[in-house]
């Protein structure tokens, strides 16, 4: 019996070590995935800083279709849409597309747009020189704005990528992080006077 008890104790210790190891691996998986995706560029994340556009040779022999999709996160009441759903561009050419937002809520809401690109490899070649996604966007109740995104596709984009999708998801970040005043939103449209 004594030998059996020792074997059982060893088995319990081994199982506990395995469980702790599995938990630790699961906990580390998210940061490891982010590092892996950053190194390989397969995550579809774009840069959070503005690219600097220097005039380069535009590849007029190639056309790339870029589609824009918008969505709001659960509980985000804003109306949000791309004014241009799809655009055909030549690599190296500077382009601008606009996005419309309106806050129908009866209070100010601060939003943050998070972009993703599919296929993920195309994210490495999408260079944004101006984007509303770089900063939080405050809107007072009933306000609306047109927010530009200026970009170019790097001519080094692999030839087999002729189409990619850019999706923006809008999140309500009111009360999280820095507080912004409505007048700090450079894209804010004039609000119509009440009664008109």
């Amino acid at each position: 019996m004594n030998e059996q008890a020792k074997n059982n104790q060893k088995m319990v210790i081994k199982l506990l070590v395995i469980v702790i190891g599995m938990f630790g691996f699961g906990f580390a998986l998210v940061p490891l995935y982010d590092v892996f995706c950053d190194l390989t560029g397969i995550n579809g994340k774009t840069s959070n800083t503005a690219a600097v556009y220097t005039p380069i040779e535009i590849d007029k022999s190639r056309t790339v279709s870029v589609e824009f999709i918008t969505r709001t996160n659960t509980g985000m009441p804003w109306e949000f849409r791309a004014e241009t759903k799809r655009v055909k561009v030549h690599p190296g050419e500077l382009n601008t597309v606009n996005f419309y937002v309106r806050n129908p809520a009866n209070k100010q809401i601060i939003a943050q747009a998070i972009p993703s690109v599919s296929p993920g490899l195309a994210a490495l070649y999408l260079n944004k020189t101006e984007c509303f996604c770089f900063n939080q966007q405050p809107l007072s109740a009933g306000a609306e704005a047109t927010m530009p995104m200026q970009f170019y596709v790097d001519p080094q984009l692999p030839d087999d990528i002729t189409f990619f999708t850019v999706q923006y998801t809008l999140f309500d970040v009111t009360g999280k992080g820095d507080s912004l005043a409505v007048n700090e939103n450079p894209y804010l449209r004039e609000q119509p006077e009440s009664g008109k």
Side-chain angles (χ1 to χ4, degrees), residues 106-194:
N106 59 2
K107 62 179 183 176
Q108 174 180 312
I109 294 178
I110 301 172
Q112 178 68 56
I114 305 296
S116 64
V117 178
S118 180
L121 182 61
L124 296 173
Y125 303 94
L126 175 65
N127 297 290
K128 296 174 292 184
T129 60
E130 178 184 353
C131 185
F132 57 93
C133 63
F134 294 150
N135 301 301
Q136 295 177 350
Q137 302 299 326
L139 274 184
S140 60
E144 58 184 11
T146 299
M147 304 183 300
M149 175 212 174
Q150 193 170 55
F151 71 100
Y152 68 96
V153 176
D154 192 305
Q156 299 299 314
L157 178 76
D159 290 337
D160 61 331
I161 300 178
T162 59
F163 173 85
F164 63 88
T165 302
V166 179
Q167 176 178 298
Y168 282 100
T169 304
L170 208 58
F171 291 86
D172 180 353
V173 295
T174 307
K176 299 173 181 110
D178 297 335
S179 238
L180 299 177
V182 172
N183 61 6
E184 290 182 44
N185 189 329
Y187 310 121
L188 189 64
R189 290 184 182 177
E190 291 292 322
Q191 289 184 318
E193 292 178 25
S194 58

Side-chain angles (χ1 to χ4, degrees), residues 4-191:
Q4 182 66 31
K6 285 183 181 181
N7 287 340
N8 287 346
Q9 188 178 12
K10 286 181 183 180
M11 181 59 75
V12 168
I13 291 172
K14 286 179 184 178
L15 289 174
L16 281 174
V17 168
I18 290 172
V19 168
I20 291 170
M22 289 172 61
F23 177 77
F25 181 73
F27 186 73
L29 203 53
V30 172
L32 287 174
Y33 176 77
D34 285 342
V35 169
F36 173 76
C37 290
D38 287 343
L39 292 174
T40 61
I42 61 171
N43 62 356
K45 291 181 182 177
T46 61
S47 175
N48 292 334
T49 56
V52 176
Y53 180 75
T54 52
I56 54 177
E57 187 175 339
I58 297 170
D59 186 354
K60 300 247 183 194
S61 67
R62 291 179 62 193
T63 302
V64 178
S65 293
V66 183
E67 182 177 50
F68 299 96
I69 298 173
T70 57
R71 63 183 289 268
T72 55
N73 192 42
T74 305
M76 176 56 150
W78 283 16
E79 181 182 340
F80 178 42
R81 69 175 181 267
E83 291 185 348
T84 304
K85 302 284 187 202
R86 184 180 288 197
V87 65
K88 293 186 179 213
V89 301
H90 297 295
E93 175 180 56
L94 193 60
N95 300 276
T96 303
V97 292
N98 290 316
F99 293 79
Y100 170 81
V101 289
R102 186 177 72 83
N103 179 7
N106 59 2
K107 62 179 183 176
Q108 174 180 312
I109 294 178
I110 301 172
Q112 178 68 56
I114 305 296
S116 64
V117 178
S118 180
L121 182 61
L124 296 173
Y125 303 94
L126 175 65
N127 297 290
K128 296 174 292 184
T129 60
E130 178 184 353
C131 185
F132 57 93
C133 63
F134 294 150
N135 301 301
Q136 295 177 350
Q137 302 299 326
L139 274 184
S140 60
E144 58 184 11
T146 299
M147 304 183 300
M149 175 212 174
Q150 193 170 55
F151 71 100
Y152 68 96
V153 176
D154 192 305
Q156 299 299 314
L157 178 76
D159 290 337
D160 61 331
I161 300 178
T162 59
F163 173 85
F164 63 88
T165 302
V166 179
Q167 176 178 298
Y168 282 100
T169 304
L170 208 58
F171 291 86
D172 180 353
V173 295
T174 307
K176 299 173 181 110
D178 297 335
S179 238
L180 299 177
V182 172
N183 61 6
E184 290 182 44
N185 189 329
Y187 310 121
L188 189 64
R189 290 184 182 177
E190 291 292 322
Q191 289 184 318

